[in-house]
Amino acid sequence: MTPADLRLDEAAVRLGVVVEAPQHSGLLGVLDYLSATPLPPGTLVRVPLGRRVVTGVVWAVLPPSGEVPVRATEDLKAVIEVLDGLPALPSAWRQLVAFAAAYYQRGLGEMALMVLPPELRQLDAVQLQRRLKRLDKALATAPVAAPVATVAATAAGDSTGAPLPELSAQQALALSALAAGGARPFLLWGSTGSGKTEVYLRRAQEALDAGQQVLMMVPEINLTPQLEARVAERFAGRRIVSLHSGLTPAQRLRNWVMALQGHADLVLGTRLSVFTPLPRLGLIVVDEEHDPSYKQQDGARYSARDLAVYRAHLEKVPVMLGSATPSLESWHNALPVAEGGSGRYLRLDMPERIGGGDMPRVRLLDQNHVLKATMGQEPPPLSRPLLDAIAQRVERGEQSLVLLNRRGYAPVLHCSDCGWKSGCPHCSAWRVFHKADRTLRCHHCGFSERVPRACPDCGNQDIQPVGRGTERLEEQLAAALPGARVGRIDADVTKLKGALEAQLASVHAGEVDVLVGTQMVAKGHDFRRITLVAAVNPDAALFASDFRAAERQFALLLQAAGRAGRDADVAGHSEMWVQTWHATHPLYQALQRYDFASFATRQLQERQMAGLPPYASLAMLRAEGKTQEAAQGFLEAAASAVQDLVAQTPEAAGLMLYPAVPTPVQRVANVERAQLMIECGQRAVLQRFLSEAQAVWLAQAQQHRRSGLIRWAVDVDPLAI
């Protein structure tokens, strides 16, 4: 039966199908199509949309009777084909997508199709069947062997099971609480090196032994290769798949299909994996739950951590959020109501390192008391006491880590004669000097040029680097520590496939004495020989306008400190040096005591007084335009157009729209950006307001496109303001 014939068939079934459509199209919900037969919700189909044929997901069968009068189907198009090689997407998956679309103010079809593998969205029924046949053949020729180690086998003294590490008392207590706590959120708060990963693995083993699937999420899988290897080693014999952006489209589709069909036992993935359909889901783990990488920063700006908590609630399974420095929202949720928290999570404390090793001693090196450089000279990268401490480690055959969260050779080139600086012509930012390839590179738009031989403005040939990045720090340390083997790990030296693994292997093999790195090396790595960590330039975040800056900086520094002294044999003399001009700052004082609880208490008090999360809910209306006037003009018109909605909001909710302002980096790739913050004391009221305002803002956007508006979006629960 052709689609044309189907329109005239009185027995045709009308289906509600969601398809991917741009936000400005106004097609935010379910579209009606005709089908010769009823299809269960969750079925993947190919349908016409304008002049294209696109993939869609059946969301509903309308009406329940299944029959539609001919007059109601005259303008409807028919489903072209059904991708029936796959099972229908589960009801829980559809509920998760619907919640995410509503909460983050995106179209239902946009959200549903965005979270599917890109290759799946391009395949027709025949092509999909070929992929599935290849997968079935691969699964048939590689059957799963019996697990090499299980908790049950070890507990029973089974000699065939590989021995598991002995649990510490605090690990055993945490596992007991997990077993007794049922399906609820848990915050596993443990110091670096306390054995949180072993708790994840033991609890995952219990779920696998019960025939369930496990979703284990990490912020950036390419930064945590050791976790991936450890999971594969522990669960050898189980089918483990990864889901992250580093996979090829074919690999990602294959792993996703294995998860949907129930063949994959454990999924290890980054933020997008929270949407993986898992018919036997029994446990969700979110490692390093505080990491900002869990928040999508473009398109549908969702928080994978928050959606993991919602999904666990939806499917009635436990979710474990683990961190040495929890986000203040999670910390507040894990505080009892009597202590000012919400009491929604159960906190499990693991303050001690495995083996009884101490955390490194934190030494605050006050730069105000160190001899400053002479006038006109740049200060040395490290003060003499710190250089001497590193040299002593080199002599003893130990390793040191120097943290500088800025890649490149120098943030900017400067002409002392005329004042020229290496600005980006397309962004309101400086181009960074990269000495290795002699380029000036913008880290925002990617624009790159060769370093000029002389100042472009005045011809002065003596243009100098200003500031310091990891590339320059590596060079300066090599000169200051003759004979020391200095290495570097940052995004520039790990671009090629396998480069990060090779660099890490070199560090583990003892081929590096001093490792220079960005935040890439501050989390998730088990460096056994590092006994000294130094933070070179940590002060920038202390006085930033972003209210989360201190929280992030504390987390970064504590995570970095945790790289030292992980081997109990060297823990006693491990140190972290913080080179600062503000040694008395409360953040550093709390870090010196490893007192996250008091730091969090102080931060929460400040947030409560300022009316900031978690004591209020925020959303950011963002706009991009050909000019700053166009971007701000739309935002101001959008705010004016919803004043009636604001007036209808109860006074107790405290809904407030702030004036439109440029973003911190105002122009990127010749596009001007502006934002308008919306604040409300009650999350439900804010959500209702945003939902009602969408139609108004969509109409405003159509009017402002003629004046230079390019795109706009709502960012719910923004990470930065």
Side-chain angles (χ1 to χ4, degrees):
M1 182 180 292
T2 66
D5 296 332
L6 189 59
R7 290 197 188 94
L8 303 177
D9 189 343
E10 292 189 8
V13 178
R14 190 174 66 188
L15 300 177
V17 179
V18 295
V19 298
E20 187 171 19
Q23 187 183 30
H24 60 76
S25 69
L27 303 176
L28 303 179
V30 178
L31 305 181
D32 285 5
Y33 288 90
L34 294 180
S35 173
T37 59
L39 296 174
T43 302
L44 291 167
V45 293
R46 298 280 289 173
V47 296
L49 182 67
R51 298 181 180 180
R52 301 179 296 140
V53 176
V54 299
T55 298
V57 181
V58 176
W59 219 253
V61 178
L62 302 171
S65 64
E67 294 187 359
V68 182
V70 174
R71 64 180 179 274
T73 67
E74 292 176 350
D75 297 327
L76 297 185
K77 295 182 179 180
V79 170
I80 293 177
E81 62 179 354
V82 180
L83 303 182
D84 52 7
L86 290 173
L89 293 162
S91 173
W93 180 89
R94 300 194 306 277
Q95 292 179 65
L96 176 67
V97 168
F99 171 81
Y103 186 84
Y104 293 105
Q105 304 297 318
R106 307 298 297 193
L108 180 58
E110 176 195 17
M111 183 67 72
L113 275 295
M114 177 199 74
V115 302
L116 296 179
E119 189 170 17
L120 179 62
R121 304 198 296 263
Q122 309 301 322
L123 299 178
D124 59 29
V126 174
Q127 293 168 326
L128 178 60
Q129 285 292 350
R130 291 173 184 162
R131 301 290 201 286
L132 295 177
K133 285 182 179 179
R134 287 202 292 266
L135 175 57
D136 290 341
K137 184 177 179 180
L139 292 174
T141 56
V144 178
V148 297
T150 66
V151 173
T154 303
D158 187 344
S159 59
T160 62
L164 297 178
E166 183 178 351
L167 292 175
S168 68
Q170 62 182 8
Q171 287 174 321
L173 285 173
L175 285 166
S176 296
L178 288 165
R184 64 175 301 175
F186 297 89
L187 177 62
L188 188 60
W189 176 43
S191 66
T192 56
S194 62
K196 295 187 294 295
T197 303
E198 183 62 30
V199 175
Y200 302 156
L201 298 180
R202 295 291 182 105
R203 186 63 186 84
Q205 185 70 68
E206 294 173 6
L208 295 174
D209 290 344
Q212 298 171 326
Q213 293 172 296
V214 175
L215 173 60
M216 187 174 291
M217 296 170 58
V218 291
E220 300 173 61
I221 209 163
N222 63 321
L223 303 186
T224 52
Q226 291 175 119
L227 176 60
E228 192 170 12
R230 187 169 174 184
V231 169
E233 179 183 9
R234 173 63 63 88
F235 300 123
R238 300 282 188 179
R239 283 201 176 106
I240 301 167
V241 300
S242 297
L243 284 173
H244 55 86
S245 58
L247 301 176
T248 65
Q251 289 172 329
R252 184 169 165 185
L253 174 61
R254 177 181 182 275
N255 293 351
W256 183 88
V257 169
M258 288 178 66
L260 171 63
Q261 293 179 334
H263 296 310
D265 297 310
L266 188 146
V267 174
L268 180 62
T270 49
R271 61 174 176 260
L272 195 61
S273 66
V274 74
F275 291 102
T276 307
L278 295 162
R280 298 182 285 110
L281 181 63
L283 173 69
I284 302 176
V285 175
V286 184
D287 190 29
E288 306 292 359
E289 66 85 30
H290 67 277
D291 198 293
S293 298
Y294 282 120
K295 180 75 188 290
Q296 176 85 4
Q297 292 301 317
D298 53 22
R301 294 172 167 86
Y302 65 90
S303 166
R305 178 200 64 206
D306 295 347
L307 287 180
V309 174
Y310 179 80
R311 181 174 186 177
H313 166 75
L314 190 66
E315 303 201 43
K316 296 179 172 56
V317 300
V319 56
M320 297 170 59
L321 310 178
S323 177
T325 54
S327 65
L328 291 183
E329 285 82 358
S330 294
W331 184 262
H332 178 261
N333 284 332
L335 283 175
V337 175
E339 298 179 22
S342 72
R344 292 176 53 211
Y345 300 172
L346 178 62
R347 195 179 83 204
L348 309 176
D349 297 354
M350 294 174 52
E352 299 176 2
R353 280 184 149 185
I354 294 296
D358 295 328
M359 288 291 289
R361 174 192 175 196
V362 176
R363 300 186 58 169
L364 302 178
L365 188 60
D366 192 339
Q367 292 291 80
N368 295 286
H369 299 158
V370 176
L371 184 64
K372 299 179 182 178
T374 57
M375 183 67 68
Q377 292 183 345
E378 186 178 22
L382 303 182
S383 61
R384 175 49 57 186
L386 179 51
L387 277 175
D388 291 341
I390 294 176
Q392 292 172 11
R393 260 64 179 186
V394 174
E395 291 176 4
R396 294 202 297 257
E398 298 169 359
Q399 294 174 319
S400 300
L401 168 63
V402 182
L403 177 70
L404 176 61
N405 204 23
R406 178 186 289 160
R407 61 190 174 99
Y409 189 84
V412 64
L413 284 185
H414 169 68
C415 174
S416 58
D417 282 3
C418 71
W420 171 86
K421 291 183 176 65
S422 55
C424 176
H426 310 297
C427 305
S428 53
W430 307 117
R431 281 181 294 166
V432 177
F433 172 40
H434 290 259
K435 188 176 182 181
D437 56 5
R438 301 291 300 174
T439 61
L440 291 174
R441 197 181 312 159
C442 178
H443 290 175
H444 295 278
C445 71
F447 179 69
S448 179
E449 281 186 332
R450 297 286 295 175
V451 174
R453 295 182 178 275
C455 173
D457 287 354
C458 71
N460 174 29
Q461 295 187 352
D462 188 22
I463 50 178
Q464 298 292 330
V466 176
R468 183 179 294 108
T470 50
E471 187 181 350
R472 189 179 191 188
L473 180 58
E474 177 190 23
E475 178 184 278
Q476 292 176 324
L477 285 176
L481 299 167
R485 297 166 298 177
V486 182
R488 173 165 56 100
I489 294 182
D490 57 26
D492 293 325
V493 297
T494 58
K495 288 184 293 188
L496 299 178
K497 185 176 178 61
L500 175 60
E501 289 75 8
Q503 293 280 0
L504 291 173
S506 178
V507 177
H508 290 304
E511 298 170 0
V512 173
D513 298 316
V514 182
L515 176 63
V516 176
T518 58
Q519 63 179 356
M520 288 180 66
V521 296
K523 53 189 177 182
H525 301 295
D526 190 13
F527 298 120
R528 310 304 295 183
R529 304 184 187 188
I530 287 181
T531 60
L532 184 147
V533 174
V536 174
N537 187 26
D539 289 344
L542 298 180
F543 309 103
S545 58
D546 184 1
F547 71 95
R548 298 186 195 271
E551 176 186 359
R552 290 187 188 137
Q553 186 70 343
F554 189 92
L556 176 61
L557 293 177
L558 194 144
Q559 291 281 338
R563 298 317 105 199
R566 297 178 75 87
D567 190 326
D569 292 338
V570 298
H573 66 272
S574 61
E575 294 181 329
M576 180 181 190
W577 290 59
V578 179
Q579 190 169 274
T580 172
W581 296 94
H582 305 278
T584 60
H585 193 281
L587 186 151
Y588 295 138
Q589 295 298 312
L591 178 69
Q592 196 169 34
R593 302 188 305 269
Y594 289 103
D595 192 354
F596 175 80
S598 68
F599 170 78
T601 298
R602 183 186 180 96
Q603 287 289 305
L604 287 174
Q605 289 171 347
E606 293 178 0
R607 299 249 186 118
Q608 188 171 24
M609 288 187 292
L612 292 169
Y615 301 99
S617 292
L618 301 181
M620 198 74 74
L621 183 60
R622 303 187 190 275
E624 298 180 358
K626 296 178 181 178
T627 64
Q628 186 64 212
E629 291 74 19
Q632 291 199 38
F634 162 73
L635 295 177
E636 291 165 357
S640 177
V642 295
Q643 285 305 310
D644 288 344
L645 292 178
V646 176
Q648 296 168 11
T649 302
E651 288 295 326
L655 183 67
M656 181 177 294
L657 276 65
Y658 288 82
V661 294
T663 58
V665 181
Q666 180 173 322
R667 187 178 78 257
V668 173
N670 292 322
V671 173
E672 293 285 340
R673 309 188 301 174
Q675 60 189 21
L676 182 154
M677 190 172 78
I678 307 167
E679 178 185 285
C680 188
Q682 299 180 24
R683 188 180 302 274
V685 174
L686 176 63
Q687 281 291 314
R688 186 166 62 249
F689 166 76
L690 293 175
S691 180
E692 295 172 353
Q694 281 282 358
V696 178
W697 290 339
L698 185 62
Q700 287 291 326
Q702 297 291 354
Q703 297 176 19
H704 279 76
R705 291 196 186 282
R706 292 187 295 271
S707 59
L709 177 69
I710 298 175
R711 65 182 67 91
W712 66 281
V714 177
D715 184 0
V716 180
D717 299 336
L719 284 188
I721 61 174

